[in-house]
C-alpha cells in the first residue's frame, strides 16, 4: 500500500535570510520558528544562513556546505523565507542560497515573513516572488510583515503582539494547505516542468 501523503505533518524549512552582524533577523526567525513548531501540522527545520559556511565564489563542483544545504531544501515540503529589506530588495546572501537550489524548490509553496521600516519589508517580498516563480515554486499571497518600529515580535504588553501571532498562524494555515496539496500532487504525478 502506498504511503498516505496527507498523513504526516508538513516538513517546513524556515530560512533566516539575513547574516548581518547584530541582525534583527535572528530574533524574528527564531520567534516564528518556535511559534510554528508548537503546531501539530508543521515539523520545523530552521536554516539560518548565518550558520552556513558557503564558498565566497560559486564552484563548479558542489561544495560540501552547498550539498548539505540543498539536501535540507530537498527534504522540505514547504518554506518560510524570513527576509529583511535592503535598499528595496532582499539581502545578497539570501539570493546566493536560493540559487543553490533548483529542483529542490519545484512545485513547493513559499511563505514570507518580512521586516523593515514603514513598508515592513514588502518590497523585498515582491522582489522575491519572480525569483521563486522562475524556480517553479508557488509563493503565498499573504505573508507576515513586521515594522521594526513596533519592537520585537513578542514584545510584552504590546497589543499588536496578539495580532502578529494571529497573522503568523494564518500564514502557516495557508502554507499547510498548499504544502499538503502540492505534496499529494507530486506523489500522484511527476511535475510537468
Ligand atoms: C544595507 C541596508 C539597506 C537597508 N535598506 C532598507 C530599505 O530599503 N527599507 C527598509 O525598510 N529598511 C532598510 N534597511 C533597514 C533594515 O530594515 C534594518 O536594518 C533591519 O534590521 C535589517 O535586517 P537585519 O537586522 O536582520 O539584517 C536597510 C538596512 C541595511 C543594512
Amino acid at each position: 500500500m502506498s504511503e498516505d501523503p496527507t498523513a504526516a505533518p508538513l516538513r517546513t524549512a524556515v530560512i533566516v535570510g539575513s547574516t548581518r552582524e547584530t541582525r534583527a533577523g535572528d530574533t524574528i526567525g527564531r520567534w516564528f520558528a518556535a511559534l510554528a513548531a508548537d503546531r501539530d501540522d508543521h515539523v520545523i527545520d530552521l536554516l539560518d544562513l548565518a550558520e552556513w559556511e558557503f564558498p565566497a565564489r560559486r564552484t563548479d563542483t558542489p561544495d560540501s556546505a552547498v550539498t548539505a544545504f540543498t539536501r535540507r531544501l530537498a527534504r522540505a515540503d514547504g518554506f518560510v523565507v524570513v527576509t529583511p529589506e535592503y535598499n528595496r530588495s532582499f539581502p545578497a546572501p539570501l539570493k546566493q542560497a536560493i540559487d543553490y537550489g533548483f529542483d529542490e524548490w519545484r512545485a513547493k509553496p513559499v511563505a514570507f515573513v518580512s521586516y523593515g521600516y514603514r513598508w515592513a519589508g514588502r518590497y523585498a517580498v515582491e522582489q522575491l516572488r519572480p525569483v521563486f516563480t522562475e524556480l517553479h515554486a508557488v509563493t503565498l499571497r499573504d505573508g507576515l510583515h513586521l515594522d521594526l518600529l513596533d519592537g520585537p515580535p513578542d514584545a510584552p504588553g504590546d497589543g499588536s503582539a496578539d495580532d502578529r501571532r494571529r497573522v503568523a498562524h494564518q500564514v502557516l494555515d495557508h502554507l499547510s494547505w498548499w504544502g499538503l496539496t502540492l505534496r499529494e500532487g507530486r506523489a500522484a504525478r511527476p511535475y510537468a516542468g
Side-chain angles (χ1 to χ4, degrees):
M1 204 166 70
S2 64
E3 200 185 328
D4 176 2
T6 62
L10 205 71
R11 291 180 297 263
T12 301
V14 175
I15 300 172
V16 178
S18 164
T19 60
R20 196 177 65 86
E21 242 183 343
T22 68
R23 64 204 165 127
D26 186 17
T27 307
I28 292 170
R30 277 162 218 283
W31 167 78
F32 190 89
L35 179 145
D38 268 349
R39 295 169 54 120
D40 294 335
D41 56 346
H42 292 269
V43 172
I44 299 302
D45 185 17
L46 186 66
L47 296 177
D48 182 344
L49 297 187
E51 293 173 354
W52 292 79
E53 299 285 338
F54 294 132
R57 298 176 65 197
R58 195 175 170 118
T59 52
D60 287 341
T61 41
D63 169 88
S64 59
V66 173
T67 307
F69 182 72
T70 54
R71 277 206 194 108
R72 299 269 285 274
L73 295 181
R75 276 206 291 269
D77 297 310
F79 305 96
V80 178
V81 173
V82 181
T83 185
E85 185 173 304
Y86 288 177
N87 297 318
R88 292 214 174 190
S89 186
F90 54 90
L94 178 55
K95 183 63 162 62
Q96 180 192 37
I98 293 168
D99 290 345
Y100 286 141
F102 187 60
D103 290 347
E104 293 85 353
W105 300 109
R106 191 165 279 225
K108 295 179 183 176
V110 181
F112 298 109
V113 173
S114 73
Y115 55 96
Y117 295 102
R118 193 173 159 85
W119 297 111
R122 285 178 178 84
Y123 285 109
V125 169
E126 293 313 315
Q127 300 246 337
L128 280 162
R129 287 189 195 283
V131 174
F132 283 111
T133 300
E134 178 65 18
L135 290 161
H136 296 250
V138 178
T139 63
L140 268 54
R141 176 183 179 274
D142 299 327
L144 174 64
H145 309 291
L146 304 169
D147 186 337
L148 291 170
L149 292 177
D150 291 340
D154 57 351
D158 176 0
S160 63
D162 284 345
D163 213 39
R164 284 184 214 124
R165 271 194 297 278
R166 184 185 56 74
V167 175
H169 282 296
Q170 205 172 60
V171 170
L172 287 161
D173 289 344
H174 290 177
L175 188 66
S176 194
W177 188 91
W178 278 103
L180 291 177
T181 302
L182 291 174
R183 188 165 76 184
E184 284 171 48
R186 292 195 307 276
R189 68 196 71 83
Y191 181 66

